[in-house]
């Protein structure tokens, strides 16, 4: 991971690193499908008007144009101009509206795609990166129980990955907005944006922002920060909020919803899901539950998985499609797995067997052997030239291929495990390597296991 990127913010993995990424993607996909989520893929391009209709990160959106535009092509400031999507939620909302007549609601979807965002490249932040999203969307209404279910699904998915322990931190925008309203701060969205900066700038600076930008009194700022300081692994946060003496109907609704999430999660994944009332999520379309996830011991990396409830992101006339979703930052997660050597691939290539050549005339017979092995799912290469067997073995070793197959002139076949040096007779019609050697595997590194105690 000490390599210098040729184009900053656009990561490219070596083959063994790509195997780790594929392991993460396959694990997420398998878990999502076990819970009944269907896979979709949306186009990489949306109109600028579609991407920015909620007022998000316009400075970070990559506009799209040909090197030589037509005279009548849209300008970058035009709502009909094209741009690369910066997340998967906004395109998904458009997809739901356009295909509502063909979808069965509640619609459970997962989506794993590249996205592009013009951020300043740094660890954990790239300009081109992969996200893995799950969402459940309803038609008109969506039971709150899905907010609970998604927390449990994502805990199961992340627990299957070769990563350190994690904490899924959950809050509720209704709880926060009701509290702010109850202490007299009417610009609740502005307060949320200030509180969202708490971990970056600290409580004193947030108090200043609340005063400078929203006119909050010292008492109001203190109360908002006291709410944000509450963190519990169980439902005891409810009484701690009530002890602050603020009353509001929306606050009570949010408390009840968050209590339901934490009660279910603490029973299923104790210590993993916590109520954290400092979580705000800066995007305006969230209306209820909000989630952020951090790796224990790697908190400065930022959230590796976030999302929340949105009741009006997707609309079609008077018809609303409320939803709740979570997004895993796959590239951010894989970058940390690789840089911290949390996991390693068992080999650098898919190939399990190299069929060696005794002479150039045996190439056709070697291809026949390779075809027999491939028919049973064993990835196989055939040597290109009939060099000395020692050189062919060294080639396999350099490539990370564990087995070398030898064909003898008397019709015998042998296979050598070049890791142990063991060489045995083998039949190309029946021979199978140990299951762990059929395809490359990814395992936690010894250093990672030791660090976790």
């Amino acid at each position: 991971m000490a390599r210098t990127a040729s184009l900053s913010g656009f990561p490219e993995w070596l083959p063994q690193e790509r195997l780790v990424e594929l392991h993460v993607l396959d694990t997420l996909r398998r878990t999502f499908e076990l819970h009944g989520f269907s896979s979709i893929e949306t186009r990489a391009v949306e109109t600028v008007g579609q991407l920015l209709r909620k007022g998000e990160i316009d400075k970070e959106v990559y506009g799209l144009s040909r090197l030589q535009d037509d005279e009548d092509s849209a300008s970058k400031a035009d709502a009909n101009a094209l741009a690369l999507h910066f997340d998967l939620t906004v395109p998904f909302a458009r997809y739901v509206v356009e295909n509502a007549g063909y979808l069965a609601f509640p619609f459970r979807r997962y989506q794993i795609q590249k996205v592009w965002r013009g951020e300043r490249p740094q660890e954990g932040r790239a300009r081109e990166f992969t996200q893995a999203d799950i969402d459940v969307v309803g038609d008109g209404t969506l039971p709150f129980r899905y907010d609970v279910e998604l927390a449990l699904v994502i805990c199961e998915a992340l627990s299957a990955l070769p990563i350190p322990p994690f904490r899924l931190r959950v809050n509720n925008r209704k709880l926060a907005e009701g509290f702010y309203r109850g202490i007299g701060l009417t610009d609740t969205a502005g307060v949320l944006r200030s509180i969202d900066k708490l971990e970056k700038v600290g409580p004193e600076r947030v108090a200043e922002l609340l005063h400078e930008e929203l006119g909050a009194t010292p008492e109001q700022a203190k109360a908002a920060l006291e709410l944000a300081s509450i963190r519990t692994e169980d439902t005891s946060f409810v009484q701690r909020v009530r002890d602050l003496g603020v009353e509001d109907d929306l606050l009570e609704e949010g408390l009840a919803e968050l209590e339901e999430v934490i009660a279910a999660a603490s029973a299923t994944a104790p210590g993993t899901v916590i109520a954290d009332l400092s979580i705000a999520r800066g995007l305006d379309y969230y209306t209820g539950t909000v989630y952020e996830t951090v790796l224990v011991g790697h908190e400065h990396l930022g959230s590796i998985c976030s999302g929340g409830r949105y009741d009006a992101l997707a609309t079609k006339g008077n018809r609303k499609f409320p939803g709740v979703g979570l997004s895993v930052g796959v590239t951010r997660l894989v970058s940390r797995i690789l840089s911290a050597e949390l996991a390693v691939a068992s080999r650098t290539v898919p190939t399990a067997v190299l069929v060696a050549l005794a002479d150039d005339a045996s190439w056709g017979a070697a291809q026949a052997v390779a075809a027999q092995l491939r028919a049973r799912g064993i990835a196989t290469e055939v040597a290109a030239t009939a060099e000395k067997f020692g050189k062919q073995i060294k080639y396999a070793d350099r490539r990370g291929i564990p087995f070398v197959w030898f064909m003898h002139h008397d019709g015998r076949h042998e296979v050598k495990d070049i890791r142990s040096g063991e060489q045995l007779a083998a039949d190309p019609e029946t021979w199978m390597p140990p299951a762990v050697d059929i395809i490359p595997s990814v395992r936690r590194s010894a250093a990672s296991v030791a660090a976790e105690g």
Side-chain angles (χ1 to χ4, degrees):
M1 292 301 296
R3 292 174 291 113
T4 301
S6 58
L7 190 58
S8 180
F10 296 86
E12 294 177 331
W13 307 127
L14 292 172
Q16 62 269 33
E17 297 169 340
R18 173 64 171 160
L19 286 171
V20 173
E21 182 183 42
L22 287 174
H23 174 76
V24 170
L25 293 173
D26 289 344
T27 300
L28 295 174
R29 175 189 53 77
R30 184 169 57 250
T31 305
F32 296 160
E33 290 182 355
L34 283 173
H35 286 268
F37 290 83
S38 300
S39 175
I40 69 164
E41 183 171 290
T42 57
R43 64 199 185 210
V45 173
E46 301 286 346
T47 65
V48 170
Q50 178 72 23
L51 289 174
L52 302 184
R53 64 192 182 92
K54 290 291 181 178
E56 292 93 5
I57 57 178
D58 54 311
K59 292 182 180 179
E60 298 177 1
V61 173
Y62 280 110
L64 192 69
S65 64
R66 289 182 294 176
L67 290 177
Q68 185 172 347
D69 287 340
D70 298 331
E71 291 182 3
D72 59 350
S73 63
S75 69
K76 292 180 180 179
D78 192 323
N80 293 317
L82 301 180
L84 296 171
H85 57 219
F86 60 83
D87 75 354
L88 299 180
T89 303
V90 173
F92 175 57
R94 189 262 313 155
Y95 177 94
V96 168
V97 169
E98 292 181 357
N99 295 284
Y102 305 96
L103 302 176
F105 294 96
F107 177 48
R108 303 164 70 92
R109 143 289 200 179
Y110 80 88
Q111 188 172 350
I112 301 175
Q113 280 185 245
K114 295 274 191 181
V115 298
W116 295 266
R117 191 174 297 179
E119 296 188 290
R120 182 174 64 84
Q122 54 187 299
E123 185 181 17
R125 292 187 181 274
R127 292 175 172 175
E128 179 184 67
F129 52 98
T130 300
Q131 288 188 183
D133 287 20
I134 52 171
D135 287 77
V136 181
V137 172
D139 186 356
T141 61
L142 183 72
F144 179 76
R145 188 156 289 169
Y146 287 112
D147 292 45
V148 182
E149 182 186 355
L150 258 66
L152 302 181
V153 171
I154 211 66
C155 282
E156 182 178 328
L158 294 177
S159 295
L161 297 178
I163 58 176
F166 61 90
R167 297 290 180 268
L168 178 61
R169 304 154 69 190
V170 190
N171 195 6
N172 192 291
R173 292 281 282 261
K174 295 176 185 177
L175 187 166
E177 291 179 16
F179 185 90
Y180 304 148
R181 196 167 66 183
I183 61 175
L185 293 174
T186 56
D187 184 0
T188 56
V191 180
L192 284 166
R193 283 192 291 271
S194 296
I195 294 296
D196 196 36
K197 301 173 184 176
L198 186 58
E199 291 187 352
K200 293 182 179 178
V201 301
E204 292 184 2
R205 179 54 185 155
V206 169
E208 292 174 358
L209 291 172
L210 291 173
H211 172 69
E212 295 168 1
E213 299 178 359
L214 304 171
T217 66
E219 292 75 18
Q220 290 171 324
K222 179 182 178 183
L225 289 169
E226 284 179 341
L227 180 74
S229 70
I230 296 175
R231 293 174 180 79
T232 68
E233 294 185 1
D234 54 25
T235 58
S236 61
F237 72 90
V238 176
Q239 188 57 50
R240 291 183 60 181
V241 172
R242 290 192 173 133
D243 288 343
L244 297 177
V246 178
E247 296 184 359
D248 184 271
D249 291 341
L250 188 62
L251 166 62
E252 290 299 320
E253 185 178 342
L255 273 174
E257 289 183 353
L258 184 56
E259 183 178 24
E260 187 174 342
V261 174
I262 299 302
S266 61
T268 305
T272 300
V273 182
I274 64 173
D276 186 337
L277 275 54
S278 69
I279 301 302
R281 302 294 299 147
L283 297 175
D284 292 340
Y285 54 68
Y286 292 121
T287 56
T289 307
V290 285
Y291 316 87
E292 285 194 358
T293 312
V294 294
L295 297 178
V296 176
H298 303 260
E299 288 82 0
H300 64 282
L301 182 65
S303 179
I304 59 163
C305 174
S306 57
R309 177 82 175 216
Y310 46 90
D311 288 321
L313 181 62
T315 60
K316 188 175 185 180
N318 293 326
R319 191 177 177 187
K320 292 185 177 181
F321 302 93
V324 59
L326 277 157
S327 176
V328 179
V330 174
T331 301
R332 175 177 293 189
L333 195 54
V334 171
S335 295
R336 179 45 57 97
I337 291 173
L338 295 174
S339 65
E341 299 180 345
L342 299 174
V344 293
S346 60
R347 60 179 186 266
T348 60
V349 294
T351 311
V353 178
L354 173 71
V355 182
L357 298 181
D359 52 53
D360 287 329
S362 64
W363 188 82
Q367 288 289 351
V369 169
Q372 289 177 293
L373 296 176
R374 292 180 191 129
R376 296 197 301 281
I378 306 169
T380 306
E381 294 181 29
V382 175
T385 58
E387 297 182 288
K388 292 181 179 180
F389 281 152
K391 287 189 175 181
Q392 295 184 67
I393 292 171
K394 285 183 178 179
Y395 169 81
D397 186 42
R398 188 170 67 251
R399 291 262 290 150
I401 302 172
F403 297 97
V404 177
W405 192 282
F406 300 102
M407 304 180 302
H408 299 289
H409 292 298
D410 59 5
R412 291 181 302 110
H413 292 261
E414 290 184 312
V415 64
K416 181 183 185 71
D417 184 336
I418 64 174
R419 299 164 299 184
S420 65
E422 184 179 36
Q423 185 166 324
L424 301 172
D427 184 342
E429 294 184 356
T430 60
W431 178 83
M432 290 290 293
V436 294
D437 288 324
I438 293 178
I439 59 173
S441 61
V442 173
R443 65 181 186 275
R444 292 176 184 267
S445 66
S448 172
V449 174
E452 293 178 29

